[in-house]
Amino acid sequence: MADSVLFAPFNVGNLSLRNRIVVAPMCQYSAEAGNMTDWHLIHLGQLALSGAALLTIEATAVLPEGRISYGDVGLWNDENEAAIARTLQAIRRWSDMPVAIQLAHAGRKASTELPWNGGAQIPPEHENGWRTEAPSALPYAVGEEPPRALDQRGLARVRHAFAAAAERAGRLGIDAVQIHAAHGYLLHEFLSPLSNRRDDDYGGSLENRMRFPLEVYDAVRASFPAERPVTVRVSGTDWVEGGWTIEETVAFAKALETRGAAAIHVSSGGLDPRQAIPVGPGYQVPLARAVKQAVGIPVIAVGLITDYDQAEAIVATGDADLIALARGILYDPRWPWHAAAHLGAKVVAPKQYLRSQPHQHRDLFQN
Ligand SMILES: Cc1cc2nc3c(=O)[nH]c(=O)nc-3n(C[C@H](O)[C@H](O)[C@H](O)COP(=O)(O)O)c2cc1C
């Protein structure tokens, strides 16, 4: 069997990765006042033993009002920083997997109930709710409380909050920052003409719609140690007529590359409830491929990548450099072990578990 590409090492900027498997950011809605709890240690801890190359901490709000829900992790104050430090200290004692953090602001999609309680918007006057902010005063769904349009001072506050959170992430020793510019949250809301109806320098033309997300990128890049990568997660399309397109995504990715972004992670959708997503295995891979063909920096594909040969093919054909897993690795936290066994490759396992190596896969663990 030819050597597996999925298990070939790879570099994102200066960050060395053991293979091409990334654990995607996944909100756990289990924080208190933005502080990680023991749940995060259990959840991230198990994924840090999975044999993937990189663990991404969930969408982490840079301001309290930038949380999707009252249970989101945040990084806007010292207490939040200390809670992440505690979690990381425990994980690092037992795993050498690099850790990235996704920095986020939920914009008009903030202030919602936890998904398992229905996920509906919580109006500002209710407990656990607040007034949301966005590029324009347009709600996400009909009947929702509209957001307040950010003015110049508001933009400066958000930019500064992203930079301050990046500085805290640097101090925490986090290996990479991913800026969340996908899924209909604040930065994506600036990019899409459906949610951005501004008539100032931040709305209208593509150049204007990209301005704020690029300013945030620059602020984060300047505040995070220069030798560590900053990546960006984008939605490759809104899947809605008249919305953000793959052509615009490519232009945005090129602008980010010029500014030193280390990788582009290509997801899709989330901006508009009218979206018509052709969901199926690897449904977002064509979007990753389009970005990959236009930039020289690494590209990460995500979305219903569940099969080992499918994952191998995505990186072997060059559609993307890395693949990310979300639901699949929650369902099977040893997915990378099973993929390595299937592909005849090797994977790192904790020494406490070395005796679990099946006898038909005698060379699976590379420790
Ligand atoms: C429980 C859960 C939480 C998620 N939270 C985030 C998040 O914090 N940030 C983000 O960009 N995407 C989030 N996503 C989206 C995933 O990162 C991923 O893009 C999506 O689930 C598609 O990949 P999959 O088919 O491997 O699940 C979440 C998905 C799930 C299932």
Coordinates of all heavy atoms in Angstrom, one line a residue, residues 24-27 58-59 102 180 183 233 267 302-304 325-327, ligand 1:
A24 N -12.2 19.9 14.7 CA -12.9 21.2 14.4 C -13.4 21.9 15.7 O -13.6 21.1 16.7 CB -14.1 21.0 13.5
P25 N -13.6 23.2 15.7 CA -14.1 23.8 16.9 C -15.6 23.4 17.2 O -16.3 23.3 16.2 CB -14.0 25.3 16.6 CG -14.0 25.4 15.1 CD -13.3 24.1 14.6
M26 N -15.9 23.1 18.4 CA -17.3 22.6 18.7 C -17.7 23.2 20.0 O -17.3 22.9 21.1 CB -17.3 21.1 18.8 CG -17.4 20.5 17.4 SD -17.4 18.7 17.6 CE -15.7 18.2 17.8
C27 N -18.7 24.1 19.9 CA -19.3 24.8 21.1 C -19.9 23.7 22.0 O -20.6 22.8 21.5 CB -20.4 25.7 20.7 SG -19.9 27.2 20.1
E58 N -13.4 25.4 21.0 CA -14.7 25.9 20.5 C -14.7 27.5 20.3 O -13.9 28.2 20.9 CB -15.8 25.6 21.5 CG -15.7 26.3 22.8 CD -16.7 25.7 23.8 OE1 -16.4 24.6 24.4 OE2 -17.8 26.3 24.0
A59 N -15.7 27.9 19.6 CA -15.9 29.4 19.4 C -15.8 30.1 20.7 O -16.7 29.8 21.6 CB -17.2 29.6 18.7
Q102 N -10.5 29.1 18.6 CA -11.3 29.9 17.7 C -11.9 31.1 18.4 O -12.6 31.0 19.3 CB -12.5 29.0 17.1 CG -13.2 29.8 16.0 CD -14.4 29.0 15.5 OE1 -15.3 28.6 16.3 NE2 -14.5 28.9 14.2
H180 N -13.0 33.3 13.6 CA -14.3 32.8 13.1 C -15.0 33.8 12.2 O -15.5 34.8 12.7 CB -15.2 32.5 14.3 CG -16.4 31.5 13.9 ND1 -16.7 31.2 12.6 CD2 -17.2 30.8 14.7 CE1 -17.7 30.3 12.7 NE2 -18.0 30.1 13.9
H183 N -20.3 31.0 9.2 CA -21.6 30.5 9.9 C -22.5 31.6 10.3 O -23.3 31.5 11.2 CB -21.2 29.6 11.1 CG -20.4 28.4 10.7 ND1 -19.8 27.6 11.6 CD2 -20.1 27.9 9.5 CE1 -19.2 26.6 11.0 NE2 -19.4 26.8 9.7
R233 N -11.5 31.0 9.5 CA -12.6 30.1 9.1 C -13.6 30.9 8.3 O -14.1 31.9 8.8 CB -13.2 29.3 10.2 CG -14.0 28.1 9.8 CD -14.6 27.3 10.9 NE -14.5 25.9 10.6 CZ -15.3 25.0 11.1 NH1 -16.2 25.3 12.0 NH2 -15.2 23.7 10.7
S267 N -15.7 26.3 5.4 CA -17.0 25.8 5.8 C -18.0 26.4 4.9 O -17.7 27.0 3.8 CB -17.3 26.0 7.3 OG -18.5 25.4 7.7
V302 N -13.9 20.6 5.5 CA -14.7 20.1 6.6 C -16.1 19.9 6.1 O -16.5 20.4 5.1 CB -14.7 21.2 7.8 CG1 -15.5 22.4 7.5 CG2 -15.3 20.5 9.1
G303 N -16.8 19.0 6.8 CA -18.2 18.8 6.5 C -18.5 17.4 6.0 O -18.2 17.1 4.9
L304 N -19.1 16.6 6.9 CA -19.4 15.2 6.5 C -18.3 14.5 5.9 O -18.4 13.8 4.9 CB -20.7 15.2 5.7 CG -22.0 15.4 6.5 CD1 -23.2 15.2 5.5 CD2 -22.1 14.4 7.6
L325 N -12.7 17.4 11.5 CA -13.8 16.5 11.9 C -14.5 17.1 13.1 O -13.9 17.6 14.0 CB -13.3 15.1 12.3 CG -12.4 14.3 11.4 CD1 -11.9 13.1 12.1 CD2 -13.2 14.0 10.1
A326 N -15.8 17.1 13.0 CA -16.6 17.6 14.2 C -17.5 16.5 14.7 O -17.1 15.7 15.5 CB -17.5 18.8 13.8
R327 N -18.7 16.3 14.1 CA -19.6 15.2 14.6 C -18.9 13.9 14.6 O -19.1 13.1 15.5 CB -20.9 15.2 13.8 CG -21.7 16.5 14.0 CD -22.8 16.7 13.0 NE -22.2 17.0 11.7 CZ -22.9 17.3 10.6 NH1 -24.3 17.3 10.7 NH2 -22.4 17.6 9.5
Ligands
LIG1 C1 -21.6 20.2 18.6 C2 -21.1 21.1 17.5 C3 -20.6 22.4 17.9 C4 -20.1 23.2 16.9 N1 -19.5 24.4 17.2 C5 -18.8 25.1 16.3 C6 -18.0 26.2 16.7 O1 -17.8 26.5 17.9 N2 -17.3 26.9 15.7 C7 -17.5 26.6 14.4 O2 -16.9 27.2 13.6 N3 -18.2 25.5 14.0 C8 -18.8 24.8 15.0 N4 -19.5 23.6 14.6 C9 -19.4 23.2 13.2 C10 -18.3 22.2 13.0 O3 -17.1 22.7 13.4 C11 -18.3 21.6 11.6 O4 -17.9 22.7 10.7 C12 -19.6 21.0 11.1 O5 -20.2 20.3 12.1 C13 -19.4 20.2 9.9 O6 -18.4 19.1 10.1 P1 -18.9 17.6 10.5 O7 -19.7 17.1 9.4 O8 -17.5 16.9 10.7 O9 -19.6 17.7 11.8 C14 -20.1 22.8 15.5 C15 -20.6 21.6 15.2 C16 -21.1 20.7 16.2 C17 -21.7 19.4 15.8

